[in-house]
Amino acid sequence: MEYKPSELVLAPDGSLYHIHLTADTLADDVILVGDPARVEMFKTLFDSIEHESLNREIHALTGSYHGHRFTALSTGMGCDNIDIVATELDAAANIDLQTRTPRPNHRSLNLIRIGTSGSLQPEIPCGSLVASRYAIGLDGLMNWYSHSDRGFLPDMQQAFLKHMESLPVLPYCVDCSPTLLDKLETHTFTHWRHKGADLSSHIGATRAPTSVHTLFQGITVTAPGFYGPQGRHIRLAPAIPDLNEHLAAFSWNGVPVTNLEMETSAIYGFANALGHQALTVCLIIANRPTGQFLNDYHAPMREAIASILDALSS
């Protein structure tokens, strides 16, 4: 199969059109962040840098951290951008861009989103971290693709539809990579003392004595926008006035909905459908039930990034 130039779109230098990466400049471990400026943090953490490119909101940086190769890549905001980034990352890994044909051997990537998010539970304060055990997509993106059910959770979807009663979109539910989740829990947070389960017996929480972070696990809901789709009422009222309360009351296998953001479901969906591993860890900068907001989160974000890089490079 040979992909047409109008379908597999390349930049003049032969790299992928939007992300400006090729198989050679792409590491197996890819850190996804929303903000292009956040990629600058990696410049101060990497030991060396071998590739950098800038294109619109997409800032790519490939380098070494403690001898381990990483690519840091900004996606911009929203699942429409994830559609572009995830598709092109897979193409860089698994398509020969010169012949426009699939490579004979599949290359699996580790896609780790380090982002910001709003908590839907009062017990999850600003400054804590949430690892997304599951994702619920209200964005609808994966409904545009034909894919296997590997990693997708139809029983969870049906339970969520029954719980919500009425939604303007068809949601999809998808699993994280248990391998990546275990790796981060084991290597990043073993030196943190156990804090106890603030939400339920199914959510572990740990705190480092010298850190602002607390790590929770839960269900992350991905919305197709920041205001109405996340229950914010400015001048246009949301279609579901008590959306966040309904979301916060849902749980699956004892794991409750913990937070709301704009990218995770699409990352998990593409990763499972295309044979990659994915995990999201978000720094909580807003607590929606209490109304709190963390304006300056650069220091805890840098700490979170360094901890995750340590875990992945160990």
Side-chain angles (χ1 to χ4, degrees), residues 100-161:
R100 297 179 174 275
T101 58
R103 295 182 183 276
N105 299 314
H106 180 265
R107 178 183 175 189
S108 181
L109 303 173
N110 293 323
L111 307 176
I112 302 95
R113 164 166 153 73
I114 305 177
T116 58
S117 182
S119 167
L120 292 179
Q121 303 288 352
E123 297 88 351
I124 302 180
C126 294
S128 56
L129 296 174
V130 171
S132 304
R133 179 65 184 85
Y134 305 106
I136 298 176
L138 301 182
D139 53 280
L141 179 61
M142 296 311 298
N143 298 329
W144 291 95
Y145 287 92
S146 175
H147 56 79
S148 71
D149 287 336
R150 191 182 82 97
F152 288 77
L153 306 168
D155 291 345
M156 182 179 177
Q157 178 196 45
Q158 292 304 310
F160 181 70
L161 283 168

Side-chain angles (χ1 to χ4, degrees), residues 212-255:
V212 298
H213 295 314
T214 301
L215 177 70
F216 295 89
Q217 286 186 39
I219 301 171
T220 295
V221 176
T222 297
F226 184 77
Y227 289 98
Q230 294 192 34
R232 290 183 171 93
H233 184 169
I234 307 300
R235 275 171 40 83
L236 281 178
I240 305 176
D242 51 357
L243 172 65
N244 290 355
E245 289 77 9
H246 276 300
L247 293 176
F250 180 74
S251 64
W252 176 252
N253 288 338
V255 180

